[in-house]
Amino acid sequence: MATKKKDKEISIIIVPNARGKVKILKIKNSYVYFLISILVVSLISLSYFFVDYTNLKNSLYILSSKNLYTLSEVKDKQIEALDKKVTEQSAKIDAYIDYISYLSSLEVDIRKMAMIPGVPVNINELIEEKRKDYSYTIESLAAKVQENETKFKALDSQAKNVETNLIVLREATKEYNNIIEHTPNIWPVVGPIMSDYGWRNHPIYRNLEFHKGMDIDAVEGTPIRVTASGVVTKVGWNGGYGLMVEVFHREGVSTVYAHLSKILVSVGQEVEKGEIIGNIGMTGVATDPHVHYEVRINGSPIDPSTYLPGLENRWNL
């Protein structure tokens, strides 16, 4: 049977400074080894703790830095998109202002925002400061976008009103010009008036009669011009009128040219104001070469001088 090995001991002598007994502390070797092992394990664990703490701190710093970078990148894209939209809107505003510049003048001045970052104390304060800075910039640009949208609506409405007014004015001008073009307001020939519209003694029959037109003297063969644009409705011989041309203009208004020596148009032909339709003659009942000129409304003769310029202007043809 084997004998149990005796555990050796370590003696620790404790000597007091003052008078006293010397004490001897005996500790077995196994206890010493156990205490040393615990100390070593504690030191190793503590070193791992510090390494992990350092790594964790570095990881947190890197993570915070990445978050700051990602936040900056996202916000930069938002600002870039808003700034681009503001730029596009400014171009549209300028186009609107050019279009209606004669009615109104608008000042367009897109101001760029100045970003002044704060002084960071640590990574968290830097992130918070940047967040506020970006938020302020985005809100300002978003406000500018909204402001421009309001301007667009006002300018678009104003432009549409101007466009409508111009269209109405154009159509009214076209209608006015069409009325003028089809109104008999020029003289058919240049010459003195032999006989006015109204009651007179007939130059041949010597009886009182109502003269339905105006006789304008001119040399035989002188070109006769139609006094308004229209369509030729009658040509040829018509009793005392001799060779005659009738032209319809608009809304029941027509003109008659009588005693012609020659007719240069035909029925159904469209003629323009001032166009030559025949020549002065003395066909029919006439004593001298002249043109008998009538203006009729719905077939009834009226005084041609109602449409013609003053007598002092009839020589300016």
Side-chain angles (χ1 to χ4, degrees), residues 256-268:
V256 173
Y257 311 82
H259 307 308
L260 278 61
S261 62
K262 188 176 183 180
I263 296 174
L264 302 177
V265 292
S266 56
V267 173

Side-chain angles (χ1 to χ4, degrees), residues 97-111:
I97 291 176
D98 290 340
Y99 179 62
I100 58 173
S101 60
Y102 67 96
L103 293 181
S104 62
S105 175
L106 295 178
E107 178 183 5
V108 178
D109 183 19
I110 307 303
R111 301 175 180 176

Side-chain angles (χ1 to χ4, degrees), residues 29 49 66 69 78 84 102 138 185 224 235 244 274 315:
N29 287 346
F49 172 77
K66 287 183 178 180
Y69 175 77
Q78 291 178 356
K84 181 178 179 182
Y102 67 96
I138 290 174
N185 58 357
I224 299 173
V235 297
M244 184 196 80
W315 301 97

